[in-house]
């Protein structure tokens, strides 16, 4: 798992530029003897298992990560950027960014009177250029960057900038590797694009697949740190969470009941999740066509949308066991 996670979190993939993550996934699929995938016109990667004449479960994890897009280059070579996905300006000064071709930038901040004035208009990115022309030789308006935060392991915990949702991609891939051929229903594993900017890839691919059920595999916030901003009973290391609700979806009771039953029957440690802010691909899947009963398997993660996204090794292993058990159960 560590090696796979290191590769996946190290791949460059802000929303809209998922091609390097997709290439890596395609390579992994090829190595496991599974070249039978399709890439749709938006870039979603779909891998199908089981008899397509049976009911279909769409299982989605998003390839994209939050990042930054260059909006303007100043005369003196400093870059202005806008967030791609939900990133708070107040946590950014001093952080390192990485552009696709390896260029590093540091985020700086203009003088402000009060901390609450800090927004993206007061931030700039320094790539070491001393003029507009110098900067333009390396970077163009519209180029994107991500946090420069490769994978580290401390104790039983993994830390990386793109854990949201490469952890989910790793769980899908590992499940695919271990899933038997004979299944009670058909499963479409989808690695989606542009989740972080509004569940866009999932919306389009759900229409194509026309599933009977939907399941997103994504990270969720925990409440187990000192004085957390949001109270939630989800903790790191206590197992995958069964989503009940977030801002994008109220999970279908049939799906959540099935998930709880399977977790209990198979003795898989699990938790229940009600997320007050944030959404996931299940939000788009459940509204596709005439509606799709959907749920989500959430991987507990601290410090979401920062370079320090942290997940627990056992939670990942238990997420794979849980997904394997769910997909071998008749829905
Ligand atoms: Zn996510």
């Amino acid at each position: 798992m560590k090696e796979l996670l290191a590769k996946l979190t190290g791949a460059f993939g802000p929303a809209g530029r998922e091609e390097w993550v997709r290439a890596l996934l395609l390579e992994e699929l090829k190595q496991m003897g599974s070249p039978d995938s399709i890439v749709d016109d938006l870039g979603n990667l779909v891998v199908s298992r089981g008899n397509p004449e049976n009911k279909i479960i769409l299982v989605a994890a998003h390839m994209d990560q939050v990042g930054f897009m260059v909006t303007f280059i100043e005369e003196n070579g400093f870059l202005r950027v806008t967030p791609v996905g939900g990133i708070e300006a107040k946590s950014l000064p001093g952080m390192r960014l990485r552009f696709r071709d390896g260029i590093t930038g540091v985020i700086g901040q203009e003088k402000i009177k009060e901390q609450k004035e800090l927004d993206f208009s007061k931030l700039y990115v320094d790539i070491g250029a001393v003029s507009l022309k110098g900067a333009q030789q390396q970077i163009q308006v519209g180029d994107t960057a991500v946090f420069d935060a490769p994978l580290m392991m401390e104790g039983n915990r993994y830390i990386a900038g793109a854990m949201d949702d490469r952890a989910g991609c790793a769980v899908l891939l590992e499940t695919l590797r271990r899933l038997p051929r004979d299944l009670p229903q058909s499963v479409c594993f989808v690695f989606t694009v542009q989740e972080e900017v509004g569940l866009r890839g999932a919306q389009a691919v759900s229409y194509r697949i026309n599933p009977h059920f939907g399941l997103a595999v994504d990270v969720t916030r925990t409440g187990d740190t000192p004085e957390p901003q949001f109270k939630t009973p989800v903790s790191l290391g206590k197992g995958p969470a069964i989503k009940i609700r977030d801002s994008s979806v109220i999970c279908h009771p049939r799906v959540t009941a099935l998930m709880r039953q399977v977790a209990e029957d198979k003795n898989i440690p699990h938790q229940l999740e009600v997320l007050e802010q944030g959404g996931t691909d299940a939000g788009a899947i459940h509204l596709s066509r005439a509606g799709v009963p959907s749920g989500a398997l959430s991987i507990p993660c601290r410090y979401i949308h920062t370079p320090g996204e942290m997940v627990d090794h056992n939670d990942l292993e238990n997420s794979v066991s849980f997904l394997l058990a769910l997909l071998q159960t008749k829905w």
Side-chain angles (χ1 to χ4, degrees):
M1 186 59 89
K2 187 180 176 186
E3 201 189 323
L4 177 63
L5 210 52
K7 277 196 242 177
L8 283 169
T9 55
F12 182 86
R17 298 308 304 269
E18 297 87 355
E19 54 262 51
W20 296 279
V21 182
R22 187 171 52 244
L24 187 61
L25 288 166
L26 281 165
E27 185 55 40
E28 292 288 326
L29 287 165
K30 204 169 115 191
Q31 278 176 20
M32 66 170 85
S34 179
D36 50 338
S37 51
I38 58 156
V39 177
D40 75 8
D41 289 342
L42 288 190
N44 296 295
L45 170 61
V46 183
V47 189
S48 303
R49 284 287 180 277
N51 182 350
E53 280 165 24
N54 293 340
K55 285 192 172 174
I56 301 170
I57 306 174
L58 191 169
V59 181
H62 65 91
M63 292 186 283
D64 60 310
Q65 69 193 105
V66 294
F68 304 84
M69 182 178 280
V70 177
T71 54
F72 186 81
I73 305 174
E74 302 277 357
E75 280 303 320
N76 47 15
F78 292 105
L79 316 177
R80 298 292 183 165
V81 294
T82 191
V84 179
I87 300 176
E88 285 188 59
K90 68 176 188 314
S91 61
L92 296 175
M95 284 198 182
R96 290 187 196 201
L97 303 186
R98 179 167 57 94
F99 289 84
R100 178 174 53 84
D101 37 15
I103 294 167
T104 298
V106 179
I107 299 181
Q109 128 185 20
E110 295 177 7
K111 186 170 82 178
I112 48 172
K113 282 208 179 89
E114 283 186 80
Q115 198 56 24
K116 65 175 188 228
E117 288 174 48
L118 187 60
D119 60 19
F120 271 82
S121 72
K122 304 281 190 236
L123 297 175
Y124 57 85
V125 177
D126 185 344
I127 55 163
V130 293
S131 66
L132 174 63
K133 243 192 171 157
Q136 280 172 334
Q137 280 166 5
Q138 297 175 283
I139 297 288
Q140 306 296 315
V141 164
D143 281 357
T144 44
V146 297
F147 290 123
D148 184 17
L151 187 87
M152 305 281 177
M153 193 174 193
E154 290 298 340
N156 213 28
R157 268 109 203 229
Y158 298 109
I159 305 163
M163 210 54 88
D164 177 6
D165 185 28
R166 306 291 159 70
C169 293
V171 166
L172 257 61
L173 209 55
E174 202 47 45
T175 302
L176 260 163
R177 204 190 302 274
R178 299 190 210 165
L179 198 67
R181 290 256 153 219
D182 244 1
L183 294 171
Q185 58 261 314
S186 170
V187 185
C188 283
F189 291 85
V190 183
F191 300 91
T192 60
V193 296
Q194 301 191 37
E195 190 270 353
E196 295 291 0
V197 288
L199 324 178
R200 296 176 188 172
Q203 187 181 338
V205 83
S206 301
Y207 186 91
R208 177 194 194 103
I209 292 170
N210 194 14
H212 298 82
F213 297 100
L215 186 74
V217 178
D218 204 344
V219 298
T220 193
R221 198 187 285 280
T222 71
D224 59 349
T225 50
E227 302 290 334
Q229 202 181 345
F230 298 95
K231 283 220 181 250
T232 156
V234 175
S235 298
L236 218 57
K238 293 193 177 162
I242 296 168
K243 189 185 290 289
I244 308 294
R245 174 202 171 230
D246 64 22
S247 330
S248 70
V249 62
I250 296 171
C251 295
H252 197 283
R254 182 168 163 190
V255 177
T256 51
L258 179 102
M259 292 177 79
R260 293 176 75 166
Q261 190 64 52
V262 169
E264 269 152 40
D265 288 351
K266 302 284 177 188
N267 276 321
I268 296 164
H270 59 285
Q271 326 183 49
L272 296 179
E273 174 212 350
V274 173
L275 189 65
E276 291 176 68
Q277 279 184 8
T280 186
D281 278 340
I285 300 166
H286 86 294
L287 294 178
S288 170
R289 296 202 185 219
V292 181
S294 298
L297 186 168
S298 298
I299 303 162
C301 182
R302 289 182 189 157
Y303 323 118
I304 288 179
H305 293 186
T306 77
E309 292 181 336
M310 181 190 286
V311 299
D312 182 90
H313 175 78
N314 294 339
D315 285 345
L316 292 179
E317 290 293 341
N318 283 318
S319 296
V320 174
S321 305
F322 192 15
L323 189 54
L324 276 168
L326 276 170
L327 300 180
Q328 291 176 81
T329 303
K330 190 156 177 62
W331 285 44

